[in-house]
Amino acid sequence: MTARFPVKHLAQGGATLDKKLLHNGSLWAPHGEILYVETEGGITNTSSVTPVTARSLSTGVLPAGEYCVGWCFSYRHSVINGNLEVRVFVSGGADIMASQDFSCKDTSVEQRWPGMGWRRVTLSGSTTIIMEFLNDGGVGTAYMYNRRLVVMRAEDVSAPVSVVAGRLPRLKNLGQSGALDNQYLQWVASPAGWFPHGFTGEGRDFSRSTTTSITFQQHFRYSTPASFPAGAYMIHMGFTWDRASASGDAEFRVQLNDTTDIELRRIEAPSSDTAMRYTNPSFRLMSLVAGVNNFDLDFRDLNNFTATVGVQSAYISLERVGDPGV
Amino acid sequence: MSLVLPLKNLRRDGAGAYQFPVWDDGASEWVANGWVEYAEDLGVDTNTTTSYVTKITKTTSASAPAGVYLVTYSHSWSSNLAASSTDVQFRVDSTEEYFIRQHTVPSGATNQPRVGATLEFTLTSGAHTFDIRFRRNLGTGWAQVGSSTIFIKWVRR
């Protein structure tokens, strides 16, 4: 289904021209609806070998197309070397991520180990994406935290109209696809399947920082520009780390404006080898205010002065996916 | 605040398979496209050596425009001995951009944690190659990399 989109409603959001947003006065996401769910800080656990749902995401009636599906979570287990098995799939359909085992070497209740992935899949109609897990082996209890699922439209699968070289897309070809809560601004011809998008920005520091202190140290700060537009943003974040002891924990946080932890991870290193580069990625969708937003990656050694914790290869990437409040 | 964008500023850029609508206000140009490239390999590959082997490669078209690209990749990994580790590199044009080295957890298990990253790259026009490769490091045994994905999206001129 494709409906005409009134051209007069096309507008630019933000204070200066480097703010990339197209909208029609309502809350259309620029490049297609972002469907996102999360359970922050919540705990889902099971001691059973029978799968239980950790998080699910149900869509409206999706237009047929290619969609980018992302999932991330943190986890722990009550038994040393205990495994949890995680699977992401379309309800009644195919696997998006086939079952994979995750385990951690420390059983303390503060442990938070990472899992994350992305895949493109073809979807249409009402769809439910399920992240489920089980306690592999049935010994002890497996726990999942911070479960997040996102679905965003990537491409139209309708047959593209042939492109005439050098000719501009005709304005009448700008259309609205989808219905109700799943509406997309797109080019419906020449060729089909283009989607506008919004601001992107990234802070990156691949250098190495170390600490032995129990007080959080800042590895790097990424600040958005003063002209940054308010909106809903997909925040991609990650880093690698190591610790010079295989006992005791390191802790890491991504903090917004020195007040809000948008990610907090505590982990015991598998090895004391400081050549290790354990990775810790995640994503999260949040509404951000206009202007300067400060994102910090902070880290510390929880056994004060007993081992050096290292952090490197850190990044925070922002991608605007909708108006404020989306 | 919303400003009306003159429709005359809407134009198409790029060539061949890489054509994008852009808004051009005379001072800056906004790219207005979606995902442009994707590759996946859902199999599991094993490497018993300390030499890198390629898990997945995606090369963009020779007509790809210059600009900023947002690239998301993910993969699973595993190794079978605590005494060995798995090195994984994500690279652009054979230059190492993101590197992990991890022992398997727990010792001797074949679990496959899934990880990845989203990074921006400023690229010149023309073809560029993104790949994930891996090797065993330390000790004996083997390293594995499982299902892997790469998204490449042009986001800014």
Side-chain angles (χ1 to χ4, degrees), chain B residues 7 28 49 77 83 108 113 153:
Chain B
L7 295 173
S28 62
T49 77
W77 67 271
K153 183 165 65 171

Side-chain angles (χ1 to χ4, degrees), chain A residues 7-8 10-23 31 67-69 71 75 81-83 97 100-105 113-120 152-155 163-169 171 174 187 190-191 193-202 204 206 236 238-240 270-271 273 275-281 312-315 317-319, chain B residues 1-8 10-14 16-23 25-40 42 68 70 72-77 82 84-87 96-107 109-122 137-138 146-151 153-156:
Chain A
V7 170
K8 65 180 181 180
L10 272 179
Q12 167 201 336
T16 63
L17 288 176
D18 63 344
K19 310 305 173 303
K20 297 167 282 295
L21 170 66
L22 303 175
H23 66 91
H31 55 71
Y67 291 81
C68 173
V69 177
W71 61 94
Y75 65 92
N81 296 343
N83 281 336
M97 177 185 76
Q100 291 185 342
D101 279 346
F102 296 81
S103 63
C104 45
K105 59 169 288 197
W113 293 67
M116 186 193 78
W118 295 85
R119 192 175 170 206
R120 188 177 71 173
M152 63 180 83
R153 196 173 189 192
E155 290 179 24
V163 176
V164 178
R167 184 172 295 175
L168 301 183
L171 294 175
L174 194 58
W187 302 95
S190 302
W194 293 347
F195 298 93
H197 66 87
F199 174 96
T200 64
E202 183 197 74
R204 179 189 299 192
F206 278 18
H236 306 274
F239 56 91
T240 65
S271 164
D273 185 350
M276 291 294 113
R277 296 292 181 265
Y278 308 115
T279 188
N280 203 320
Q312 53 275 309
S313 300
Y315 66 90
S317 295
L318 303 182
E319 182 179 14
Chain B
M1 173 187 183
S2 294
L3 301 173
V4 174
L5 182 73
L7 295 173
K8 65 180 180 180
L10 189 62
R11 66 180 184 83
R12 187 171 69 198
D13 193 23
Y18 284 82
Q19 300 184 62
F20 308 91
V22 297
W23 300 95
D25 69 336
S28 62
E29 293 173 329
W30 308 337
V31 180
N33 68 285
W35 300 105
V36 296
E37 292 285 1
Y38 176 73
E40 69 177 23
L42 303 185
V68 177
L70 192 63
T72 296
Y73 72 92
S74 68
H75 63 87
S76 58
W77 67 271
S84 64
S85 58
T86 300
D87 289 354
E96 180 183 334
E97 293 286 351
Y98 207 84
F99 169 74
I100 67 171
R101 170 176 291 168
Q102 303 204 171
H103 280 293
T104 196
V105 179
S107 169
T110 57
N111 56 311
Q112 293 202 339
R114 174 173 275 275
V115 294
T118 297
L119 301 167
E120 274 193 5
F121 299 99
T122 300
N137 183 270
L138 307 175
S147 53
S148 303
T149 64
I150 299 176
F151 290 93
K153 183 165 65 171
W154 190 46
V155 296
R156 197 157 63 247

